[in-house]
Structure formats: structure tokens, C-alpha cells
Amino acid sequence: MADTKDFGALTEGVYYILLSLLTPMHGYGIMQNVKLLSNERVELGAGTLYGALSTLAERGWIELLQGDQDSRKKEYRITADGRSAVRNEMARLDELLANGKKLIIGEPE
Amino acid sequence: MSLVQRKFFSDFEKEEEWLNEMAAKGLALSEYSWARYVFEESGKREYIYRIELLKEDPKGPEAAGYLQFMKETGAELVPTGKWLWGLLKYNNLRWVIFRRKASEGAFTIYSDIDSKIRHYKRVNSLWMSLAMMELIIGLLNISLMFVNNPTALNMINLVMGLLLIILSLFFISISRPIRQKITKLQNDKLIRE
């Protein structure tokens, strides 16, 4: 769990992939879900998603669903490390947002 | 009814643009090989085309996982034709063309700056390694002239050498816009994701 803090900001793609994988999902499902979560703003490219999934699996933030190895469609789910990476990211976003709100108030638009 | 078009592109993004323009007119690419494109009639804007330089050999195990993944997301690989009666198969190359039904929504392969940069770097290193290869062989050819006594054979070395150097310069020049795009994206990355 130590290394979840070692990397700076998550990309918004990775952040939404991790959130999606709170429910086990395969690649296409993740793409659809991220689009839905972001009101169609974030459309993950298939190549980008594939790269992100392999990196996240290597890092241990997500895992391939057990017993699913032979199945053609690979399903992934988030791990405990993945969850803590999301929480760290949320704390970082909270800080950014809080500072932004505090300092921008009273400023002309 | 199918339509065959011969065209040469040195810029894969221009090629992609052209394929999408053809698709908009109702001509969907169904097969390609060296500078030869076969189109089938289809509905207007039925498909969106994307070109990619794969990381690995398309017949290898790593690429198989990726190609399977692309298939699951609704993208299909445009089949490659044979050339010289099958002696030169285009599918030995890492360049692939994907297409996906436009009804499935926007189709992009790389959606963030990092993965775009990685893809452009792959393309740049392909062109630059070809350029270096031609340059080295070209210079070797020319240097042979000075080893032997001048003969007619040496003239062949000179001509070959110069041709290879021109080819090398060609690869350096077609990869220049790619390097400019990489620089631009790297600058973008300093201020946004």
C-alpha cells in the first residue's frame, strides 16, 4: 500500500477507470461507464484504456477476475491499493478545490 | 461494387483523414495493401477509420491480446491484401487500420496526451531507424569507391549510395512533422493533462 502515494496526480482517465472497477467490468464496459459518469465528457480511447489497464494491473491497483483467465473477455476489479489510490486522489482534489474556492471568492469573474 | 484506388501517403494522419472522407461519401475501405486501397459501397459515414503503428509484431502474443481487446470494443481490423503473389504480405508490418461503426460513437485509439506522445514516438523511431539504416548502407556504398581502383563497378556503388542517402533524407523529412507534434504535445503537458 506504500507506493500509492508515490505518484502525483492521477489522470482523469485512470481516476474514472478505478472508480468504474468498484464493480467488476471488462474493457468495453469501462469505456461506456466512464462516458456515463462524466456526462459524455471523457471518452477513453481503446488504446489508451488498454495501456492504462496493463499499467494498473502491473502496479497492483486492479486485478484480473479469478477463474476468468480462459474467458475471451477479461474482467477487472479494483484492489485495496487501488481504493487507497482513489482516496489519496480525492484528498488531493479536495485540497485543490478548497484552496480554489477560498482564494477566488471576491475576485471579479 | 468495389473501387480500387492507388495512392501514396507518407503521413498516416492524412491517410486516416482521406479514409474517413471516403467513408463519408459511402465508400468504406475493405482491404488494403501497398498503396492500394479497395473500397466497398456502404452507407454514408458508416465507419470511422483509425490507423495505428502497433508496439509489437501483429502476429505475436502481445499484439494478440491488444487486437482481441480492440475487437471487444467494437473495432475491426481492415484485412490486408497480398503483394507479388503473396511474397510480400502487408500484415508483416506493424501498421494496422481499424474501423468501427460510426453508430457506436466517436472512435479514437489514443485519448490522452501521454499515450498520443508514445504513439508518435513509435512512429518517429520507425522512420528514423529506417533513415539511419539507409544512411549507413549508403555511406558504406560510397566508401567502397575509395577502397578499390576506379572501375565501372564503383560507379554503381556511387549511384546506389546516393540513392540510399536520398531515401534516408526522405525518411528524415517525413518524420519531421511527427517530431513537431511530439514537441507540441510535450509543451501542452506542462500545463494540462
Side-chain angles (χ1 to χ4, degrees):
Chain A
M1 211 167 278
D3 69 342
T4 50
K5 273 201 163 171
D6 297 349
F7 306 93
L10 303 183
T11 67
E12 61 180 11
V14 162
Y15 179 73
Y16 273 142
I17 291 169
L18 290 172
L19 278 185
S20 299
L21 291 179
L22 289 166
T23 319
M25 251 176 226
H26 52 74
Y28 189 61
I30 298 169
M31 281 168 85
Q32 298 296 312
N33 195 56
V34 168
K35 205 169 145 182
L36 199 72
L37 278 174
S38 66
N39 289 321
E40 313 230 326
R41 189 178 59 82
V42 183
E43 290 206 44
L44 286 177
T48 298
L49 175 60
Y50 186 81
L53 287 176
S54 3
T55 308
L56 289 172
E58 244 166 61
R59 194 155 292 169
W61 290 5
I62 62 169
E63 61 189 1
L64 207 55
L65 227 62
Q66 288 302 311
D68 209 42
Q69 254 80 350
D70 330 310
S71 158
R72 302 288 276 172
K73 283 193 181 184
K74 285 183 178 171
E75 269 196 305
Y76 294 91
R77 77 173 152 221
I78 195 166
T79 62
D81 280 0
R83 279 168 210 264
S84 86
V86 172
R87 291 212 177 87
N88 287 336
E89 177 66 8
M90 287 170 69
R92 195 188 66 87
L93 292 171
D94 271 342
E95 177 218 287
L96 291 175
L97 198 56
N99 279 325
K101 281 181 177 164
K102 197 162 69 194
L103 295 170
I104 207 98
I105 284 172
E107 288 283 310
E109 291 237 333
Chain B
M1 217 196 79
S2 59
L3 170 78
V4 177
Q5 289 245 336
R6 290 186 177 276
K7 218 167 156 76
F8 174 78
F9 286 95
S10 60
D11 179 331
F12 77 97
E13 285 176 308
K14 294 218 170 91
E15 183 179 4
E16 196 178 83
E17 218 172 278
W18 178 66
L19 294 176
N20 286 317
E21 279 165 19
M22 295 296 273
K25 285 188 247 170
L27 288 164
L29 181 75
S30 59
E31 191 192 297
Y32 77 106
S33 50
W34 305 88
R36 182 177 180 271
Y37 300 80
V38 182
F39 295 90
E40 300 286 341
E41 277 183 43
S42 71
K44 284 189 177 167
R45 281 175 220 286
E46 194 174 334
Y47 291 100
I48 300 169
Y49 287 85
R50 292 284 171 241
I51 298 175
E52 183 179 6
L53 179 67
L54 297 179
K55 217 188 302 175
E56 293 99 2
D57 170 19
K59 292 194 291 298
E62 288 96 348
Y66 178 63
L67 293 173
Q68 174 62 25
F69 185 85
M70 289 300 281
K71 209 166 140 190
E72 283 167 28
T73 62
E76 57 178 312
L77 211 52
V78 175
T80 53
K82 290 183 180 129
W83 203 53
L84 286 182
W85 306 278
L87 281 175
L88 272 175
K89 286 193 192 127
Y90 198 93
N91 64 1
N92 291 329
L93 298 188
R94 289 181 292 143
W95 285 109
V96 290
I97 304 181
F98 290 106
R99 71 176 183 184
R100 199 172 79 170
K101 291 260 184 193
S103 56
E104 303 238 16
F107 175 39
T108 50
I109 295 178
Y110 293 114
S111 53
D112 69 359
I113 296 183
D114 272 318
S115 52
K116 278 180 198 158
I117 291 176
R118 274 199 295 274
H119 184 233
Y120 281 138
K121 281 192 170 168
R122 213 141 73 210
V123 176
N124 183 51
S125 58
L126 171 68
W127 295 147
M128 288 309 280
S129 57
L130 285 172
M132 286 307 123
M133 206 172 76
E134 311 301 358
L135 187 67
I136 290 165
I137 303 172
L139 290 176
L140 272 175
N141 261 285
I142 291 171
S143 66
L144 278 178
M145 276 191 61
F146 303 101
V147 179
N148 302 325
N149 295 320
T151 59
L153 210 64
N154 288 345
M155 279 317 286
I156 299 173
N157 280 137
L158 179 67
V159 171
M160 273 299 286
L162 289 177
L163 283 176
L164 286 166
I165 287 168
I166 290 170
L167 201 58
S168 167
L169 292 174
F170 168 76
F171 283 120
I172 293 172
S173 79
I174 65 167
S175 54
R176 201 166 157 257
I178 303 280
R179 287 190 292 280
Q180 287 168 337
K181 282 171 195 163
I182 294 172
T183 310
K184 193 190 164 289
L185 287 174
Q186 277 169 340
N187 286 336
D188 280 358
K189 240 192 88 177
L190 293 175
I191 52 164
R192 64 189 183 91
E193 188 185 290

